Amino acid sequence: MKQLLDYNYEEIEKIVLDLGEKKFRAKQLFEWLNKGAEFNEMKNLPASFIKKLEDEGYVAQAIHIKDVLESKLDGTKKYIYELNDGNIIEGVLMKYKYGNTICVSTQVGCRMNCAFCASGLDGLIRNLTPGEILGQVIAVNKDNKVDKERAITNIVLMGSGEPLDNYDNVTKFLDLVNAEEGLNISMRNISLSTCGLCDKIYKLADDGYNLTLTISLHAPTNAQRLQTMPVTKKYPIEEIIKAVKYYFDKTGRRIVFEYAMIEGQNDTLESSKALVALLKGLTCHVNVIPLNYVKERGLKGTNMDSIKNFIKYLEDHKISATKRRTMGADIEGACGQLRRKYLNKDE
Ligand code: SF4
């Protein structure tokens, strides 16, 4: 089985020509694919052409929505998708004043095993293909009944998986979603969140992807970070700072650090001092998040007063910082709560 959504415009053109069809069919087919259409919905394509595609083993879409849970707190929607091989992934649509943001997954599971995260509970099952990542954006656009205008204005690669551990497929997805013939979403509206795979951060900068690079930092020292993020063994914090400086120099994009506050671990005055020392001089912003509860992980988030004090300390020392709103906590749609298994409401 070959998923047409995995191919870029030039590749689709080649498929069309190889099947003996006229070139303009490629444009029609590509438009349908980006609207989330199945073969039987592609009204202006001849049945003979669709049959040829099917005979060659092509399928149109890469994912299908299995269920949607809507937050009563803030209207956030959690999507449960089924892939063509039966694997399940999750994603979230968040509604902000400035537009709608979709959080997409990039892998089934994750092998980084961060201690606060549900996505890595079963390890890495497999990488998502470019079309399976793009399919999440397309399916949610379609589900929100938008045709000409996009429902989705912003994308964050922050769902299950470590995006830079699936570099080639993720960068092809970025090319696809950014393509003029496709959804044409600007790199400026895309954030990629990584636990800090430094070699790939250099590559991303060298390959010219000018997006918002977000580092899941969560601790200001290696000793502390090792308690929750095993990746620190391979890439210590100093290496991450060097890599993000390189990224900033190449792209001019401000670096964002995510800092999930865990009670008694990284929320002390010493931690805020160490964080200020670490980030001094960097063009960056810190998003402070109260840790979201994951029942298998047993870690507790810091209370609001301590979070406010922490942010104030950073700002007093000229580090830009805000508390990130937690979205969709009642549907387990918040950061670190996305998982591979579809948990129904009674579990
Ligand atoms: S936080 Fe990100 S990198 Fe860490 S286990 Fe979860 S999905 Fe993987």
Side-chain angles (χ1 to χ4, degrees):
M1 186 187 52
K2 295 171 278 184
Q3 302 172 151
L4 285 172
L5 218 55
D6 283 326
Y7 300 97
N8 64 28
Y9 191 71
E10 291 70 38
E11 289 164 337
I12 291 284
E13 219 169 56
K14 184 168 183 317
I15 290 169
V16 167
L17 294 174
D18 287 352
L19 289 176
E21 295 288 332
K22 295 255 166 39
K23 206 170 162 182
F24 75 92
R25 295 286 181 212
K27 188 166 183 288
Q28 293 174 322
L29 178 58
F30 202 74
E31 276 174 12
W32 281 120
L33 292 171
N34 277 277
K35 281 182 188 167
E38 296 292 352
F39 286 146
N40 61 5
E41 296 172 282
M42 299 182 180
K43 300 294 180 214
N44 58 357
L45 296 184
S48 57
F49 173 36
I50 300 288
K51 178 149 187 339
K52 280 189 216 167
L53 287 167
E54 284 172 337
D55 289 349
E56 290 292 317
Y58 289 111
V59 294
Q61 297 300 320
I63 67 157
H64 298 93
I65 294 172
K66 199 173 159 66
D67 203 356
V68 187
L69 309 178
E70 191 160 352
S71 167
K72 293 189 183 70
L73 303 174
D74 52 36
T76 295
K77 288 183 182 175
K78 176 154 93 170
Y79 283 88
I80 322 287
Y81 313 102
E82 183 164 12
L83 307 176
N84 285 326
D85 67 358
N87 266 305
I88 300 290
I89 53 166
E90 297 185 340
V92 182
L93 176 70
M94 294 158 286
K95 295 178 178 170
Y96 294 105
K97 276 190 211 105
Y98 57 80
N100 294 333
T101 298
I102 185 174
C103 174
V104 296
S105 292
T106 53
Q107 295 179 312
V108 184
C110 181
R111 61 182 173 143
M112 298 299 146
N113 200 23
C114 303
F116 43 77
C117 177
S119 304
L121 282 167
D122 299 316
L124 175 67
I125 309 304
R126 72 169 174 84
N127 285 328
L128 293 187
T129 69
E132 286 168 339
I133 309 172
L134 179 65
Q136 298 168 54
V137 185
I138 288 174
V140 173
N141 256 341
K142 191 180 181 188
D143 186 55
N144 287 273
K145 311 250 177 331
V146 174
D147 187 17
K148 285 208 179 74
E149 265 181 57
R150 297 185 313 241
I152 292 163
T153 50
N154 295 67
I155 301 173
V156 295
L157 287 83
M158 234 178 242
S160 302
E162 162 51 58
L164 297 184
D165 191 34
N166 183 15
Y167 188 88
D168 292 344
N169 288 342
V170 164
T171 46
K172 185 166 184 186
F173 155 71
L174 293 172
D175 296 337
L176 288 172
V177 81
N178 183 231
E180 256 177 56
E181 307 88 353
L183 295 181
N184 198 5
I185 296 183
S186 152
M187 284 295 152
R188 300 212 149 254
N189 295 353
I190 301 178
S191 296
L192 182 148
S193 173
T194 174
C195 62
L197 305 189
C198 296
D199 53 338
K200 297 293 171 15
I201 294 175
Y202 288 107
K203 189 162 165 45
L204 200 65
D206 290 339
D207 289 345
Y209 290 98
N210 285 12
L211 37 73
T212 302
L213 183 65
T214 302
I215 305 293
S216 299
L217 186 64
H218 308 313
T221 65
N222 288 319
Q224 242 184 54
R225 197 167 189 256
L226 265 172
Q227 290 177 27
T228 50
M229 301 185 75
V231 68
T232 312
K233 236 181 266 163
K234 186 162 183 200
Y235 297 112
I237 291 178
E238 313 75 70
E239 293 301 319
I240 296 178
I241 297 296
K242 256 195 246 164
V244 300
K245 276 186 181 154
Y246 184 84
Y247 189 84
F248 175 75
D249 288 344
K250 276 255 166 173
T251 64
R253 302 302 309 272
R254 179 176 80 156
I255 305 297
V256 175
F257 291 95
E258 300 277 333
Y259 196 94
M261 293 194 70
I262 309 171
E263 192 178 80
Q265 278 200 19
N266 61 1
D267 59 353
T268 58
L269 182 61
E270 289 72 55
S271 295
S272 45
K273 282 183 184 164
L275 191 58
V276 165
L278 184 71
L279 302 184
K280 211 169 172 200
L282 269 180
T283 306
C284 69
H285 179 80
V286 180
N287 267 333
V288 181
I289 330 160
L291 182 87
N292 295 307
Y293 183 64
V294 174
K295 69 177 173 187
E296 296 89 333
R297 296 298 200 181
L299 296 168
K300 214 177 146 202
T302 301
N303 68 52
M304 278 310 151
D305 283 346
S306 304
I307 290 178
K308 278 186 198 148
N309 291 339
F310 194 91
I311 291 174
K312 185 168 182 317
Y313 188 89
L314 296 184
E315 287 188 321
D316 288 348
H317 291 81
K318 311 231 170 328
I319 307 275
S320 149
T322 41
K323 179 179 123 6
R324 206 175 72 194
R325 263 172 76 200
T326 294
M327 307 281 280
D330 58 329
I331 50 169
E332 293 207 341
C335 284
Q337 291 184 316
L338 299 189
R339 50 184 83 225
R340 185 173 77 87
K341 292 205 181 78
Y342 173 29
L343 295 185
N344 65 41
K345 295 130 209 163
D346 328 310
E347 278 181 270

